[in-house]
Amino acid sequence: MAVPETNGARPKTGIKVIIVGAGFGGLTAAIECVRQGHSPVIYESFPSLKILGDIISFGPNAGRIFARWENGDIARAMRKISIDLQAYGFNIHKWDTGEVVINQKSPPRDETAPVFNGHRGELHEIVFNYAKKLGVEIVLDSRVDNYWETEDAAGISLGDGTRVEGDVVVGSDGVRSKARTLVLGYEDKPKSSGYAVWRSWFSNEDMLADPETRQFCENGDTFNGWIAGPDVHFLFSTLKGGSDCCWVLTHKDEHDIDESWSFPGKLSEVKEVLRDWDPLCTKIISKTPEEKLVDWKLVYRDPLPTWVSGYGSAPGHGRICLLGDSAHPFLPTSAQGATQALEDGVTLAVVLRKAGKSNIKGGLRAYQDIRYERVRKVQKTGETTRDMWHNTDWEKVKKDPQSIAFPREDWIFSHDAEKHVEEVGDEIIAKTSTSVEQQA
């Protein structure tokens, strides 16, 4: 089934969608709701938009979504500030010797399904401003204290006592989601994955001043990875023609994460982990301003039994759902966390249009049924890639260097979320609607 390549002009559905959280998932859900004829409003606890964070990746299955917005203008704006590896590719080094084991070439560029790797805050600003341009109401500085629903409506209660009512509530409020507790009927506490990531983003002045590191900033964008250290891997990029530098180092970590999982990092600890590594890694690390270093604990959650209230054994009335990290946090080695949140948003908006205002419950159940197994399979790729890069069989790599390349799996990248839900949505809504009737 063909998918409209522009913003679309669907008839109004009369469905008011309350979205909690203005991250990439929440913004995409809102933009897609506008395209499908709904009326979204976003509530976000941050008082203002800030350009925060470091590197974020969007695969071609996300690029396909961005490319349909504003006749491709949004994707073109994102391209301007994203890494360009068409010439350089991805150099994978042996962790101790620094030997380049393989140069993984970048796939040919496809403007209908572009790939973006760039600064999280800068890319987010483009999407945020596009949502506002479309007329999405974004209410900042609004802390959500509670979620509620009845047979006929759903809503939120804000910190100032305001009660907001709509037809659907989407919990896109991240790994600390309050909506998750309501949907599940119990508190699902995060666990340590056993790993953490030191991460940083900084400008290139000190890199340029050192003859050994200058090479990464003088010749355009670069991407290098050192893998298979003792349960560690190190990825380093330069972007914007070499003017910005970014690195992430995944390592074992067993710290308690009950209270927080983001801490200021210490360069001395990073250098200790890299003590026996290729000296170039420590050279790169030493150029990092310590105030730019973050130690990020990787959160793990068991797959949730449901993302929708009132579905399966979950309590509720079937009008509240989870989206993105609220439902399924990803490890960074999947490079798919944000992309899967985008696929969620597209799918949700289409099934709500297909189900209609009178069948919100059937629509939300169909959203879960369409997305659930695909998300679980993609989640697993984060673990398999991490394990491949931490427990490398170097004898195998000598015979087949391609075995250590970053996986680019067609079943993930070729997926068109909007086309898929247009094709299967009606049939699955019919099934979930029957389950709603039987439960009534």
Side-chain angles (χ1 to χ4, degrees), residues 34-258:
V34 171
R35 292 183 71 224
Q36 299 300 328
H38 316 314
S39 300
V41 56
I42 298 176
Y43 290 85
E44 169 58 56
S45 61
F46 278 108
S48 61
L49 177 66
K50 294 182 179 180
I51 310 300
L52 301 173
D54 46 69
I55 194 97
I56 191 169
S57 299
F58 293 100
N61 42 327
R64 219 168 261 114
I65 296 167
F66 292 130
R68 290 185 176 126
W69 295 351
E70 200 74 358
N71 296 306
D73 285 352
I74 304 306
R76 283 186 283 274
M78 296 173 74
R79 163 57 45 219
K80 290 178 182 177
I81 59 172
S82 294
I83 196 168
D84 182 357
L85 297 173
Q86 287 297 302
Y88 193 88
F90 175 31
N91 283 334
I92 300 180
H93 304 250
K94 194 169 185 289
W95 68 283
D96 50 357
T97 65
E99 170 196 357
V100 176
V101 179
I102 184 175
N103 173 260
Q104 188 173 3
K105 302 297 183 185
S106 296
R109 187 169 288 168
D110 178 356
E111 297 304 330
T112 67
V115 174
F116 301 115
N117 293 273
H119 191 284
R120 179 185 300 267
E122 295 173 357
L123 293 170
H124 181 266
E125 183 180 34
I126 292 171
V127 178
F128 183 92
N129 288 337
Y130 177 53
K132 291 181 68 175
K133 180 181 178 181
L134 285 181
V136 174
E137 183 182 358
I138 304 175
V139 186
L140 300 175
D141 200 13
S142 297
R143 189 186 77 249
V144 175
D145 275 355
N146 195 24
Y147 292 74
W148 58 268
E149 61 180 337
T150 67
E151 277 296 311
D152 303 313
I156 54 177
S157 299
L158 303 180
D160 63 3
T162 303
R163 185 176 166 93
V164 183
E165 181 174 316
D167 299 294
V168 182
V169 175
V170 181
S172 184
D173 44 348
V175 290
R176 295 180 184 268
S177 174
K178 289 184 177 180
R180 188 189 299 109
T181 301
L182 185 145
V183 167
L184 294 176
Y186 58 87
E187 186 175 357
D188 176 59
K189 289 188 176 183
K191 305 172 185 176
S192 170
S193 68
Y195 291 85
V197 174
W198 283 302
R199 51 198 311 155
S200 187
W201 185 293
F202 54 98
S203 57
N204 70 358
E205 289 88 352
D206 289 345
M207 293 283 293
L208 285 171
D210 187 330
E212 289 191 59
T213 57
R214 184 183 300 151
Q215 57 175 304
F216 297 109
C217 301
E218 285 185 324
N219 302 299
D221 295 352
T222 67
F223 186 24
N224 287 269
W226 286 258
I227 65 166
D231 229 347
V232 178
H233 72 270
F234 175 59
L235 303 176
F236 174 66
S237 305
T238 57
L239 305 89
K240 300 179 185 175
S243 67
D244 287 10
C245 306
C246 173
W247 60 264
V248 295
L249 191 155
T250 301
H251 60 102
K252 288 291 288 182
D253 184 279
E254 298 296 347
H255 281 84
D256 183 14
I257 57 168
D258 279 351

Side-chain angles (χ1 to χ4, degrees), residues 61 343 371-378 411-412 415:
N61 42 327
E343 289 188 5
R371 295 289 300 144
Y372 193 85
E373 286 305 319
R374 172 171 168 79
V375 166
R376 287 187 66 170
K377 286 173 65 179
V378 179
W411 68 270
I412 297 176
H415 187 74

